[in-house]
Amino acid sequence: MCSSDLRRAAAFQRAETKMIDAFQDENGFARLVAASALSEFATESDRSLQVLMQALDDENPQIRRAAAEALGNVGTAGRSAKTVLAKAQKTDDRPFVRAAAGEALKKIRATPSEHRWWPWAFAVIAAAAVGGFLWFRRRFSSATTTDQ
């Protein structure tokens, strides 16, 4: 790692720590803003992801909703939050929190997995089939025109 990468990593960690600290604040507005910001960090950091997952048990329903929405925005990193989101979707006492958790689950499920090989395999097979068909058609269409 070069020194600029190290400086960026250190700045990332400082900013993440400040957001986590803000999330622990008693001020509800600061916590809502921090939840949104932590979704940006959670794509790269398990620490932020864990804080957002724990926030689904917060006493403030607005914080729980914000945490669910943030978890839905982290893409494939949010896969580890599926269990706690499903629990929130089924058991939270506020309908808007249940709805946010359901939407987050939909977003996480819609995010393509890096382990899904079959769409690429299908595309390769389809391209080979089309290429073979075109080769076959050219080969035999020119053979029938020369026979006449």
Side-chain angles (χ1 to χ4, degrees), residues 24-112:
Q24 308 304 326
D25 195 277
E26 291 182 22
N27 183 320
F29 182 73
R31 293 170 68 207
L32 285 171
V33 171
S36 178
L38 282 174
S39 70
E40 299 299 320
F41 292 105
T43 59
E44 303 289 327
S45 168
D46 287 339
R47 222 172 81 184
S48 294
L49 192 62
Q50 291 300 320
V51 169
L52 289 172
M53 288 171 30
Q54 291 169 356
L56 290 173
D57 291 327
D58 196 275
E59 62 186 34
N60 184 334
Q62 295 296 335
I63 301 297
R64 295 193 307 265
R65 178 196 48 80
E69 289 174 351
L71 287 167
N73 292 333
V74 299
T76 56
R79 288 213 155 104
S80 61
K82 284 164 98 175
T83 304
V84 292
L85 283 167
K87 178 184 170 213
Q89 183 186 22
K90 291 177 186 171
T91 63
D92 199 277
D93 60 341
R94 300 294 176 106
F96 61 90
V97 176
R98 291 193 305 265
E103 284 300 313
L105 283 169
K106 284 181 192 173
K107 286 181 178 180
I108 291 170
R109 288 184 187 126
T111 305

